[in-house]
Amino acid sequence: MIDWNFMVTYSPRLLKACEVTFGISVTSLALSTVAGLGIALLRLSPRRILSSTAWIYVWIVRGTPLLLQLFAIYYAMPMTGLRLDPWTAGILTLSLNSSAYFSEIFRSAIQSIPTGQTEAAIAIGMGPLQTLRRIVIPLSLRPALPPYIGQAITLLKNSSLVSIIAVPDLMQTAQSIYSTTFKVVEVMLMTGVLYLIMTSLLQIAQTSLERRLSYYTVK
């Protein structure tokens, strides 16, 4: 039988750990979004050296496990003289990993825009940066949103890996509780529900944003 009293007693501690998970995820999401857009623009650059460099970065990051990347940054980088604390290492790893996936999402969304849109902007005298800011990015937001939120959800769930390097996130806190109380089922049930709530909030945000961005839909 499930010990409901135990779950009530320990739920505040897990809720507190959610703040750490959410903070790491939001910070990583912001950094990887900016980096991903930059990498996408490099992939689309007519300069071969820039596009090739961006392609190599995406190829390496998407082709290696996130856990291996975390170990490389936290355990291997000190050998080069650069030592990062667990929080910084976790955020940096998640940001670098997600930026590769976001770059492909943004690149495909940008390439889905009809060429007539950019040609019209150029015809009325808009420069490259102005066209990017006023035409390309707004029009690419809606097609990019579903896969973007999907990757954001993946990022949030992947943040559980930082527990391996002793960051007191939701998963690490859950492990600490059941290792001393032996209430594995109750702790994992509460942890799963909390992750489900956080990911559901992102899906709700997606629905709301899709309605708002319908203005930019190209007919």
Side-chain angles (χ1 to χ4, degrees):
M1 295 292 293
I2 295 177
D3 189 342
W4 297 104
N5 290 329
F6 171 87
M7 296 175 70
V8 172
T9 301
Y10 280 90
S11 58
R13 184 174 170 186
L14 290 173
L15 286 170
K16 187 69 175 178
C18 280
E19 297 179 10
V20 176
T21 292
F22 193 75
I24 290 175
S25 300
V26 169
T27 303
S28 302
L29 181 62
L31 293 174
S32 58
T33 298
V34 174
L37 179 58
I39 296 168
L41 295 177
L42 290 177
R43 287 287 312 272
L44 296 170
S45 173
R47 297 186 178 180
R48 189 172 183 81
I49 187 170
L50 295 179
S51 61
S52 297
T53 301
W55 180 87
I56 291 172
Y57 172 82
V58 172
W59 171 61
I60 292 174
V61 172
R62 296 206 306 173
T64 54
L66 175 59
L67 184 59
L68 178 62
Q69 296 166 15
L70 180 61
F71 283 168
I73 289 176
Y74 185 66
Y75 292 111
M77 284 186 68
M79 298 174 63
T80 66
L82 181 60
R83 184 177 298 275
L84 301 176
D85 62 86
W87 288 71
T88 304
I91 291 173
L92 179 59
T93 303
L94 290 169
S95 300
L96 292 175
N97 179 270
S98 294
S99 66
Y101 292 91
F102 283 141
S103 70
E104 291 300 279
I105 292 170
F106 296 149
R107 182 176 67 87
S108 61
I110 291 172
Q111 289 181 321
S112 70
I113 299 172
T115 56
Q117 298 291 327
T118 55
E119 290 172 354
I122 296 172
I124 62 175
M126 285 189 182
L129 292 178
Q130 197 174 23
T131 301
L132 180 67
R133 182 169 60 88
R134 294 190 176 183
I135 305 297
V136 175
I137 291 180
L139 288 176
S140 63
L141 287 177
R142 201 178 199 297
L145 185 60
Y148 176 84
I149 296 296
Q151 181 57 35
I153 290 173
T154 299
L155 188 159
L156 192 152
K157 293 185 294 184
N158 284 343
S159 68
S160 62
L161 289 176
V162 301
S163 62
I164 295 173
I165 56 175
V167 175
D169 71 324
L170 179 56
M171 185 58 70
Q172 202 272 346
T173 301
Q175 292 170 344
S176 174
I177 293 173
Y178 72 62
S179 65
T180 56
T181 63
F182 304 103
K183 298 284 189 178
V184 179
V185 174
E186 288 84 352
V187 174
M188 288 296 98
L189 178 60
M190 287 189 290
T191 302
V193 169
L194 290 173
Y195 272 112
L196 184 60
I197 291 173
M198 288 189 287
T199 56
S200 295
L201 290 174
L202 287 173
Q203 294 179 44
I204 293 171
Q206 175 185 338
T207 302
S208 176
L209 287 170
E210 282 180 337
R211 292 198 194 100
R212 292 176 178 272
L213 292 173
S214 60
Y215 173 80
Y216 295 108
T217 302
V218 179
K219 303 296 184 181

